[in-house]
């Protein structure tokens, strides 16, 4: 997908699955706001492309997932919740993340 197709897809779907080369191209044209190593599922990133805010993460199926967020604050809240969940997984809670909601 081109960047335009990726952005259109994020307007139509809550989660978009990207290929590695698509992510690389998108990140090269974006401003990374935050990048955190989850220690369980690679990095989770908050970034801006033009005036749009995004969160990118890796699913348990090793898929690159992209979500469009309403604001940097919403993206930051999403990342904090995800990191809190990963902390609970370290404690052996046995819970699973639904990456596609």
């Amino acid at each position: 997908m081109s960047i335009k197709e990726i952005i259109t897809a994020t307007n139509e779907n809550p989660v978009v699955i990207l290929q590695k080369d698509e992510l690389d191209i998108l990140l090269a044209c974006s401003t990374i706001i935050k990048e955190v190593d989850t220690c369980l599922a690679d990095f989770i990133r908050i970034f801006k492309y033009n005036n749009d805010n995004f969160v990118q993460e890796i699913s348990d199926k090793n898929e690159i997932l992209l979500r469009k967020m309403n604001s940097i604050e919403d993206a930051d809240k999403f990342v904090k919740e995800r990191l809190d969940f990963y902390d609970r997984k370290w404690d052996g809670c046995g819970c699973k993340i639904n990456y596609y909601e």
Side-chain angles (χ1 to χ4, degrees):
M1 283 189 284
S2 68
I3 290 179
K4 183 178 179 181
E5 291 170 322
I6 292 168
I7 301 307
T8 298
T10 62
N11 290 329
E12 298 170 354
N13 303 288
V15 179
V16 175
I17 299 172
L18 299 179
Q19 299 302 312
K20 172 83 168 91
D21 60 329
E22 294 168 332
L23 175 63
D24 292 343
I25 291 167
L26 182 58
L27 289 177
C29 301
S30 301
T31 302
I32 296 176
I33 306 297
K34 181 185 263 186
E35 185 174 64
V36 180
D37 188 348
T38 67
C39 299
L40 284 175
D42 201 55
F43 288 89
I44 188 167
R45 295 176 181 91
I46 299 173
F47 64 93
K48 285 185 87 67
Y49 175 78
N50 290 339
N51 292 322
D52 295 322
N53 305 296
F54 297 94
V55 171
Q56 177 268 311
E57 64 180 332
I58 305 292
S59 76
D60 56 350
K61 297 176 184 171
N62 209 29
E63 295 170 315
I64 300 169
L65 305 180
L66 182 66
R67 300 170 196 278
K68 186 173 183 181
M69 306 301 285
N70 292 326
S71 66
I72 292 296
E73 293 78 18
D74 287 348
D76 214 26
K77 181 180 174 187
F78 177 89
V79 169
K80 183 182 180 326
E81 289 172 359
R82 189 64 93 222
L83 293 174
D84 288 347
F85 187 86
Y86 286 137
D87 281 344
R88 288 192 308 275
K89 281 186 80 168
W90 276 114
D91 293 337
C93 74
C95 39
K96 297 196 184 278
I97 297 173
N98 183 346
Y99 286 97
Y100 307 98
E101 287 184 352

Coordinates of all heavy atoms in Angstrom, one line a residue, residues 6-85:
I6 N -2.6 3.7 3.0 CA -2.6 3.4 4.4 C -3.4 4.4 5.2 O -4.2 3.9 6.1 CB -1.1 3.4 4.9 CG1 -0.3 2.3 4.3 CG2 -1.0 3.3 6.4 CD1 1.2 2.4 4.5
I7 N -3.3 5.7 5.0 CA -4.0 6.7 5.7 C -5.5 6.5 5.4 O -6.3 6.5 6.4 CB -3.6 8.1 5.3 CG1 -2.1 8.3 5.6 CG2 -4.4 9.1 6.0 CD1 -1.7 8.0 7.0
T8 N -5.9 6.2 4.2 CA -7.3 6.0 3.9 C -7.8 4.7 4.7 O -8.9 4.7 5.2 CB -7.5 5.8 2.4 OG1 -7.1 7.0 1.7 CG2 -9.0 5.4 2.0
A9 N -7.0 3.7 4.7 CA -7.4 2.5 5.4 C -7.6 2.7 6.9 O -8.5 2.2 7.5 CB -6.4 1.4 5.2
T10 N -6.8 3.6 7.5 CA -6.9 3.9 8.9 C -8.2 4.8 9.2 O -8.7 4.8 10.3 CB -5.7 4.6 9.5 OG1 -5.5 5.9 8.9 CG2 -4.5 3.8 9.4
N11 N -8.7 5.5 8.2 CA -9.9 6.2 8.3 C -11.1 5.3 8.3 O -12.2 5.7 8.8 CB -10.0 7.3 7.2 CG -9.0 8.4 7.4 OD1 -8.7 8.8 8.5 ND2 -8.6 9.0 6.3
E12 N -10.9 4.1 7.7 CA -12.1 3.2 7.4 C -12.1 2.0 8.4 O -13.1 1.3 8.5 CB -12.0 2.7 6.0 CG -12.2 3.8 5.0 CD -11.9 3.4 3.6 OE1 -11.5 2.2 3.3 OE2 -12.2 4.2 2.6
N13 N -10.9 1.7 9.1 CA -10.8 0.6 9.9 C -10.1 1.0 11.2 O -9.2 1.7 11.2 CB -9.9 -0.5 9.2 CG -10.5 -0.9 7.9 OD1 -11.5 -1.6 7.8 ND2 -9.8 -0.4 6.8
P14 N -10.5 0.4 12.3 CA -9.9 0.7 13.6 C -8.5 0.2 13.7 O -7.6 0.8 14.4 CB -10.8 0.0 14.6 CG -11.6 -1.0 13.9 CD -11.7 -0.6 12.5
V15 N -8.1 -0.9 13.0 CA -6.8 -1.5 13.0 C -6.4 -1.8 11.6 O -7.2 -2.5 10.9 CB -6.7 -2.7 13.9 CG1 -5.3 -3.3 13.9 CG2 -7.1 -2.4 15.3
V16 N -5.2 -1.4 11.1 CA -4.7 -1.8 9.8 C -3.5 -2.6 10.0 O -2.6 -2.2 10.8 CB -4.5 -0.5 9.0 CG1 -3.8 -0.9 7.6 CG2 -5.8 0.3 8.8
I17 N -3.4 -3.7 9.3 CA -2.2 -4.5 9.3 C -1.2 -4.1 8.2 O -1.7 -4.0 7.0 CB -2.5 -6.0 9.1 CG1 -3.4 -6.5 10.3 CG2 -1.3 -6.9 9.0 CD1 -4.0 -7.9 10.1
L18 N 0.0 -3.8 8.5 CA 1.0 -3.3 7.6 C 2.1 -4.4 7.3 O 2.3 -5.2 8.2 CB 1.7 -2.1 8.1 CG 0.8 -0.8 8.3 CD1 1.7 0.3 8.9 CD2 0.1 -0.4 7.1
Q19 N 2.7 -4.3 6.2 CA 4.0 -5.0 5.9 C 5.1 -4.2 6.5 O 5.0 -3.0 6.6 CB 4.1 -5.3 4.4 CG 3.0 -6.1 3.9 CD 2.8 -7.4 4.5 OE1 3.8 -8.2 4.7 NE2 1.6 -7.8 4.9
K20 N 6.3 -4.8 6.7 CA 7.5 -4.1 7.2 C 7.9 -3.0 6.3 O 8.2 -1.9 6.8 CB 8.6 -5.1 7.4 CG 9.9 -4.5 7.8 CD 10.0 -4.3 9.3 CE 11.5 -4.0 9.7 NZ 11.8 -2.6 9.7
D21 N 7.9 -3.1 5.0 CA 8.3 -2.1 4.1 C 7.4 -0.9 4.2 O 7.8 0.2 4.0 CB 8.6 -2.6 2.7 CG 7.3 -3.2 2.1 OD1 6.5 -3.8 2.8 OD2 7.2 -3.1 0.9
E22 N 6.1 -1.2 4.3 CA 5.1 -0.1 4.4 C 5.3 0.7 5.7 O 5.2 1.9 5.7 CB 3.7 -0.7 4.4 CG 3.3 -1.4 3.1 CD 2.0 -2.2 3.2 OE1 1.7 -2.7 4.3 OE2 1.4 -2.3 2.1
L23 N 5.6 0.0 6.8 CA 5.8 0.7 8.1 C 7.1 1.6 7.9 O 7.1 2.7 8.3 CB 6.0 -0.3 9.2 CG 6.4 0.4 10.5 CD1 5.3 1.3 11.0 CD2 6.7 -0.7 11.6
D24 N 8.1 1.0 7.3 CA 9.4 1.8 7.2 C 9.2 3.1 6.4 O 9.7 4.1 6.8 CB 10.4 0.9 6.5 CG 10.9 -0.2 7.4 OD1 10.7 -0.2 8.6 OD2 11.5 -1.2 6.8
I25 N 8.4 3.0 5.3 CA 8.1 4.2 4.5 C 7.3 5.2 5.3 O 7.6 6.4 5.3 CB 7.4 3.8 3.2 CG1 8.4 3.0 2.3 CG2 6.9 5.0 2.4 CD1 7.7 2.3 1.1
L26 N 6.3 4.7 6.0 CA 5.5 5.6 6.8 C 6.3 6.3 7.9 O 6.2 7.5 8.1 CB 4.3 4.8 7.3 CG 3.3 5.6 8.2 CD1 2.7 6.8 7.3 CD2 2.2 4.7 8.7
L27 N 7.1 5.5 8.6 CA 7.9 6.1 9.7 C 8.9 7.1 9.1 O 9.2 8.1 9.8 CB 8.6 5.0 10.5 CG 7.7 4.2 11.4 CD1 8.5 3.1 12.0 CD2 6.9 5.0 12.4
A28 N 9.4 6.9 8.0 CA 10.4 7.8 7.4 C 9.8 9.1 7.1 O 10.6 10.1 7.1 CB 11.0 7.2 6.1
C29 N 8.5 9.2 6.9 CA 7.8 10.4 6.5 C 7.1 11.0 7.7 O 6.4 12.0 7.6 CB 6.8 10.2 5.4 SG 7.5 9.6 3.9
S30 N 7.3 10.4 8.9 CA 6.6 10.8 10.1 C 7.5 11.4 11.2 O 8.7 11.3 11.1 CB 5.8 9.6 10.7 OG 4.9 9.1 9.7
T31 N 6.8 11.9 12.2 CA 7.6 12.4 13.4 C 7.2 11.5 14.5 O 6.1 11.4 14.9 CB 7.1 13.8 13.8 OG1 7.4 14.7 12.7 CG2 7.9 14.3 15.0
I32 N 8.2 10.8 15.0 CA 8.0 9.8 16.1 C 8.0 10.7 17.4 O 8.9 11.4 17.7 CB 9.1 8.8 16.2 CG1 9.0 7.9 14.9 CG2 8.9 7.9 17.5 CD1 10.1 6.8 14.8
I33 N 6.9 10.5 18.1 CA 6.6 11.2 19.4 C 7.2 10.4 20.6 O 7.8 10.9 21.5 CB 5.1 11.5 19.6 CG1 4.5 12.2 18.4 CG2 4.9 12.2 20.9 CD1 5.1 13.6 18.1
K34 N 6.9 9.1 20.5 CA 7.3 8.2 21.6 C 7.6 6.8 21.0 O 6.8 6.4 20.2 CB 6.3 8.1 22.7 CG 6.6 7.3 23.9 CD 5.4 7.1 24.9 CE 5.6 8.2 26.0 NZ 4.6 8.0 27.0
E35 N 8.6 6.1 21.5 CA 8.9 4.8 21.1 C 9.3 4.0 22.4 O 10.3 4.4 23.0 CB 10.0 4.8 20.1 CG 10.3 3.5 19.5 CD 11.3 3.6 18.3 OE1 12.5 4.0 18.6 OE2 11.0 3.3 17.2
V36 N 8.6 2.9 22.7 CA 8.9 2.2 23.9 C 9.1 0.7 23.6 O 8.3 0.1 22.9 CB 7.7 2.3 24.9 CG1 8.0 1.6 26.2 CG2 7.4 3.8 25.2
D37 N 10.1 0.1 24.1 CA 10.4 -1.3 24.0 C 9.5 -2.0 25.0 O 9.6 -1.8 26.2 CB 11.8 -1.7 24.2 CG 12.1 -3.1 23.9 OD1 11.2 -3.9 23.7 OD2 13.3 -3.4 23.8
T38 N 8.5 -2.8 24.5 CA 7.6 -3.5 25.5 C 8.2 -4.7 26.2 O 7.7 -5.2 27.1 CB 6.4 -4.0 24.7 OG1 6.8 -5.0 23.8 CG2 5.7 -2.9 24.0
C39 N 9.4 -5.1 25.7 CA 10.1 -6.3 26.2 C 9.3 -7.6 26.0 O 9.7 -8.7 26.4 CB 10.5 -6.2 27.7 SG 11.6 -4.8 28.0
L40 N 8.1 -7.5 25.4 CA 7.3 -8.7 25.1 C 6.9 -8.7 23.6 O 6.8 -9.8 23.0 CB 6.0 -8.7 25.9 CG 6.2 -9.2 27.4 CD1 4.9 -9.0 28.1 CD2 6.7 -10.6 27.5
A41 N 6.6 -7.6 23.1 CA 6.1 -7.5 21.7 C 6.7 -6.3 20.9 O 6.1 -5.5 20.4 CB 4.6 -7.3 21.8
D42 N 8.1 -6.4 20.9 CA 8.8 -5.4 20.2 C 8.5 -4.0 20.7 O 8.3 -3.8 21.8 CB 8.5 -5.5 18.7 CG 9.6 -4.9 17.8 OD1 10.8 -5.3 18.0 OD2 9.3 -4.1 16.9
F43 N 8.5 -3.0 19.8 CA 8.3 -1.6 20.2 C 6.9 -1.2 19.9 O 6.2 -1.7 19.0 CB 9.2 -0.7 19.3 CG 10.6 -0.7 19.7 CD1 11.5 -1.7 19.1 CD2 11.2 0.1 20.7 CE1 12.8 -1.8 19.5 CE2 12.5 0.0 21.1 CZ 13.3 -0.9 20.5
I44 N 6.4 -0.3 20.7 CA 5.1 0.4 20.5 C 5.5 1.9 20.3 O 6.3 2.4 21.0 CB 4.1 0.1 21.6 CG1 2.7 0.6 21.3 CG2 4.6 0.7 22.9 CD1 1.7 0.2 22.2
R45 N 4.9 2.5 19.2 CA 5.2 3.8 18.8 C 4.0 4.7 18.7 O 3.0 4.3 18.3 CB 5.9 3.8 17.5 CG 7.2 3.1 17.4 CD 7.8 3.1 16.0 NE 9.0 2.4 15.9 CZ 9.1 1.1 15.7 NH1 8.0 0.4 15.5 NH2 10.3 0.5 15.7
I46 N 4.2 6.0 19.1 CA 3.3 7.0 18.8 C 4.0 7.9 17.8 O 5.1 8.3 18.1 CB 2.9 7.8 20.1 CG1 2.3 7.0 21.2 CG2 2.0 9.0 19.7 CD1 2.1 7.6 22.5
F47 N 3.3 8.3 16.8 CA 3.9 9.2 15.8 C 2.8 10.0 15.1 O 1.6 9.7 15.1 CB 4.8 8.4 14.8 CG 4.1 7.4 13.9 CD1 3.6 7.8 12.6 CD2 3.9 6.1 14.3 CE1 3.0 6.9 11.8 CE2 3.3 5.2 13.5 CZ 2.8 5.6 12.2
K48 N 3.3 11.0 14.4 CA 2.4 11.9 13.7 C 2.8 11.9 12.2 O 4.0 11.8 11.9 CB 2.6 13.4 14.1 CG 1.9 13.7 15.4 CD 2.0 15.2 15.7 CE 0.9 16.0 15.1 NZ -0.4 15.8 15.6
Y49 N 1.8 11.8 11.4 CA 2.0 11.9 9.9 C 1.0 13.1 9.5 O -0.2 12.9 9.7 CB 1.7 10.7 9.2 CG 1.8 10.8 7.7 CD1 3.0 10.9 7.0 CD2 0.6 11.0 6.9 CE1 3.1 11.1 5.7 CE2 0.7 11.2 5.5 CZ 2.0 11.2 4.9 OH 2.1 11.5 3.6
N50 N 1.6 14.1 9.0 CA 0.8 15.3 8.7 C 0.1 15.7 10.0 O 0.8 15.9 11.0 CB -0.1 15.1 7.5 CG 0.6 15.0 6.2 OD1 1.7 15.5 6.1 ND2 0.0 14.5 5.2
N51 N -1.2 15.8 10.0 CA -1.9 16.2 11.2 C -2.6 15.0 11.9 O -3.4 15.2 12.8 CB -3.0 17.3 10.9 CG -2.3 18.6 10.5 OD1 -1.3 19.0 11.0 ND2 -2.9 19.3 9.5
D52 N -2.2 13.8 11.5 CA -2.9 12.6 12.1 C -1.9 12.0 13.1 O -0.7 12.0 12.9 CB -3.2 11.6 10.9 CG -4.2 12.1 10.0 OD1 -5.2 12.8 10.5 OD2 -4.1 11.9 8.8
N53 N -2.5 11.4 14.1 CA -1.8 10.7 15.2 C -2.0 9.2 15.1 O -3.1 8.8 14.8 CB -2.3 11.2 16.5 CG -2.2 12.7 16.6 OD1 -1.2 13.3 16.6 ND2 -3.4 13.3 16.8
F54 N -1.0 8.5 15.3 CA -1.0 7.0 15.2 C -0.3 6.3 16.3 O 0.6 6.8 16.9 CB -0.4 6.6 13.8 CG -1.1 7.1 12.6 CD1 -0.6 8.3 12.0 CD2 -2.2 6.5 12.1 CE1 -1.3 8.8 10.9 CE2 -2.8 7.0 11.0 CZ -2.4 8.2 10.4
V55 N -0.8 5.1 16.5 CA 0.0 4.1 17.4 C 0.2 2.9 16.6 O -0.6 2.4 15.9 CB -0.9 3.7 18.7 CG1 -0.2 2.6 19.4 CG2 -1.1 4.9 19.6
Q56 N 1.5 2.4 16.7 CA 1.9 1.2 15.9 C 2.4 0.2 17.0 O 3.2 0.6 17.9 CB 2.9 1.6 14.9 CG 3.5 0.4 14.1 CD 4.7 -0.2 14.8 OE1 5.6 0.5 15.1 NE2 4.7 -1.5 15.0
E57 N 2.0 -1.0 16.8 CA 2.5 -2.1 17.7 C 2.5 -3.4 17.0 O 2.1 -3.5 15.8 CB 1.5 -2.2 18.9 CG 0.1 -2.7 18.6 CD -0.8 -2.8 19.8 OE1 -0.3 -3.1 20.9 OE2 -2.0 -2.7 19.6
I58 N 3.1 -4.4 17.6 CA 3.2 -5.7 17.0 C 2.3 -6.7 17.8 O 2.3 -6.7 19.0 CB 4.7 -6.3 17.1 CG1 5.6 -5.3 16.5 CG2 4.8 -7.7 16.5 CD1 5.5 -5.2 15.0
S59 N 1.4 -7.4 17.1 CA 0.5 -8.3 17.7 C 1.2 -9.6 18.2 O 2.4 -9.9 17.8 CB -0.6 -8.7 16.8 OG -0.2 -9.6 15.8
D60 N 0.5 -10.5 18.9 CA 1.0 -11.7 19.3 C 1.2 -12.7 18.1 O 1.8 -13.7 18.2 CB 0.1 -12.4 20.4 CG -1.3 -12.5 19.9 OD1 -1.7 -12.0 18.9 OD2 -2.1 -13.2 20.6
K61 N 0.7 -12.3 16.9 CA 0.9 -13.1 15.7 C 2.0 -12.5 14.9 O 2.1 -12.8 13.7 CB -0.4 -13.1 14.9 CG -1.5 -13.9 15.6 CD -2.8 -13.8 14.8 CE -4.0 -14.4 15.6 NZ -5.2 -14.2 14.9
N62 N 2.7 -11.5 15.5 CA 3.8 -10.8 14.8 C 3.4 -10.0 13.6 O 4.1 -9.8 12.7 CB 4.9 -11.8 14.4 CG 6.3 -11.1 14.4 OD1 6.5 -10.2 15.2 ND2 7.2 -11.6 13.5
E63 N 2.2 -9.5 13.7 CA 1.6 -8.6 12.7 C 1.9 -7.1 13.1 O 1.8 -6.8 14.3 CB 0.1 -8.7 12.5 CG -0.3 -10.1 12.0 CD -1.8 -10.3 12.1 OE1 -2.4 -10.0 13.2 OE2 -2.3 -10.8 11.1
I64 N 2.2 -6.3 12.2 CA 2.4 -4.9 12.4 C 1.1 -4.2 12.4 O 0.4 -4.2 11.3 CB 3.4 -4.2 11.4 CG1 4.7 -4.9 11.5 CG2 3.5 -2.7 11.6 CD1 5.7 -4.6 10.3
L65 N 0.6 -3.6 13.5 CA -0.7 -3.0 13.6 C -0.6 -1.5 13.7 O 0.2 -1.0 14.4 CB -1.5 -3.6 14.8 CG -1.6 -5.1 14.9 CD1 -2.4 -5.5 16.1 CD2 -2.3 -5.7 13.6
L66 N -1.5 -0.9 13.0 CA -1.5 0.6 13.0 C -2.9 1.1 13.4 O -3.9 0.6 12.8 CB -1.1 1.1 11.6 CG -1.1 2.6 11.5 CD1 0.1 3.2 12.3 CD2 -0.9 3.0 10.0
R67 N -3.0 2.0 14.3 CA -4.3 2.6 14.7 C -4.2 4.1 14.6 O -3.2 4.7 15.0 CB -4.6 2.3 16.2 CG -4.6 0.9 16.6 CD -4.7 0.8 18.1 NE -4.4 -0.6 18.4 CZ -5.3 -1.6 18.4 NH1 -6.5 -1.3 18.1 NH2 -4.9 -2.8 18.7
K68 N -5.2 4.7 14.1 CA -5.3 6.2 14.0 C -5.9 6.6 15.4 O -6.9 6.0 15.8 CB -6.2 6.6 12.9 CG -6.2 8.1 12.7 CD -6.9 8.5 11.4 CE -6.8 10.0 11.2 NZ -7.5 10.4 10.0
M69 N -5.4 7.6 16.0 CA -5.8 8.1 17.3 C -6.4 9.5 17.1 O -5.9 10.3 16.2 CB -4.7 8.1 18.3 CG -4.0 6.7 18.4 SD -5.1 5.3 18.9 CE -5.4 5.7 20.6
N70 N -7.3 9.9 17.9 CA -7.9 11.3 17.9 C -6.9 12.3 18.3 O -7.0 13.5 17.8 CB -9.1 11.4 18.7 CG -10.3 10.5 18.1 OD1 -10.4 10.4 16.9 ND2 -11.1 9.9 19.0
S71 N -6.0 12.0 19.2 CA -5.1 13.0 19.7 C -3.8 12.3 20.3 O -3.9 11.1 20.5 CB -5.7 13.8 20.9 OG -6.0 13.0 22.0
I72 N -2.8 13.1 20.5 CA -1.6 12.5 21.2 C -1.9 12.0 22.6 O -1.4 11.0 23.0 CB -0.5 13.6 21.2 CG1 0.0 13.9 19.8 CG2 0.7 13.1 22.1 CD1 0.7 12.7 19.0
E73 N -2.8 12.8 23.3 CA -3.2 12.4 24.6 C -3.9 11.0 24.6 O -3.7 10.1 25.4 CB -4.2 13.4 25.2 CG -3.5 14.7 25.5 CD -3.3 15.6 24.3 OE1 -4.0 15.4 23.2 OE2 -2.5 16.5 24.3
D74 N -4.8 10.8 23.6 CA -5.5 9.5 23.5 C -4.4 8.4 23.1 O -4.5 7.3 23.7 CB -6.5 9.5 22.4 CG -7.8 10.2 22.7 OD1 -7.9 10.6 23.9 OD2 -8.6 10.5 21.8
A75 N -3.5 8.7 22.3 CA -2.4 7.7 21.9 C -1.6 7.4 23.2 O -1.3 6.2 23.4 CB -1.6 8.3 20.8
D76 N -1.2 8.4 23.9 CA -0.5 8.2 25.2 C -1.2 7.3 26.2 O -0.6 6.4 26.8 CB -0.1 9.6 25.8 CG 1.3 9.6 26.4 OD1 2.1 8.8 26.0 OD2 1.4 10.4 27.3
K77 N -2.5 7.6 26.3 CA -3.3 6.8 27.2 C -3.4 5.3 26.7 O -3.2 4.4 27.5 CB -4.8 7.3 27.3 CG -5.7 6.6 28.2 CD -7.1 7.2 28.2 CE -8.0 6.4 29.0 NZ -9.4 6.8 28.9
F78 N -3.5 5.1 25.4 CA -3.5 3.8 24.8 C -2.2 3.0 25.2 O -2.2 1.9 25.6 CB -3.8 3.8 23.3 CG -3.7 2.5 22.7 CD1 -4.9 1.7 22.5 CD2 -2.5 2.0 22.2 CE1 -4.9 0.5 21.9 CE2 -2.5 0.7 21.5 CZ -3.7 0.0 21.4
V79 N -1.1 3.7 24.9 CA 0.2 3.1 25.2 C 0.4 2.8 26.7 O 0.8 1.7 27.0 CB 1.3 4.0 24.7 CG1 2.7 3.5 25.1 CG2 1.3 4.1 23.1
K80 N 0.0 3.7 27.5 CA 0.1 3.4 29.0 C -0.7 2.2 29.4 O -0.3 1.4 30.1 CB -0.4 4.7 29.8 CG -0.2 4.5 31.3 CD -0.7 5.7 32.0 CE -0.6 5.5 33.5 NZ -0.8 4.2 34.1
E81 N -2.0 2.1 28.9 CA -2.8 0.9 29.2 C -2.2 -0.3 28.6 O -2.2 -1.4 29.3 CB -4.2 1.1 28.6 CG -5.0 2.2 29.3 CD -6.3 2.5 28.6 OE1 -6.6 1.9 27.5 OE2 -7.1 3.3 29.1
R82 N -1.6 -0.3 27.4 CA -0.9 -1.5 26.9 C 0.3 -1.9 27.7 O 0.4 -3.0 28.0 CB -0.5 -1.2 25.4 CG 0.0 -2.4 24.7 CD -1.1 -3.5 24.5 NE -1.8 -3.3 23.2 CZ -3.1 -3.4 23.1 NH1 -3.9 -3.7 24.1 NH2 -3.6 -3.2 21.9
L83 N 1.1 -0.9 28.1 CA 2.3 -1.2 28.9 C 1.8 -1.7 30.3 O 2.5 -2.7 30.8 CB 3.1 0.0 29.1 CG 3.8 0.5 27.8 CD1 4.5 1.8 28.0 CD2 4.7 -0.6 27.2
D84 N 0.8 -1.2 30.9 CA 0.3 -1.7 32.2 C -0.2 -3.2 32.0 O 0.1 -4.0 32.8 CB -0.9 -0.9 32.7 CG -0.5 0.4 33.2 OD1 0.7 0.7 33.4 OD2 -1.4 1.3 33.4
F85 N -0.8 -3.5 30.9 CA -1.2 -4.9 30.6 C 0.0 -5.8 30.5 O 0.0 -6.9 31.0 CB -2.0 -4.9 29.3 CG -2.6 -6.3 29.0 CD1 -3.9 -6.6 29.6 CD2 -2.0 -7.2 28.3 CE1 -4.4 -7.8 29.4 CE2 -2.5 -8.4 28.0 CZ -3.7 -8.8 28.6

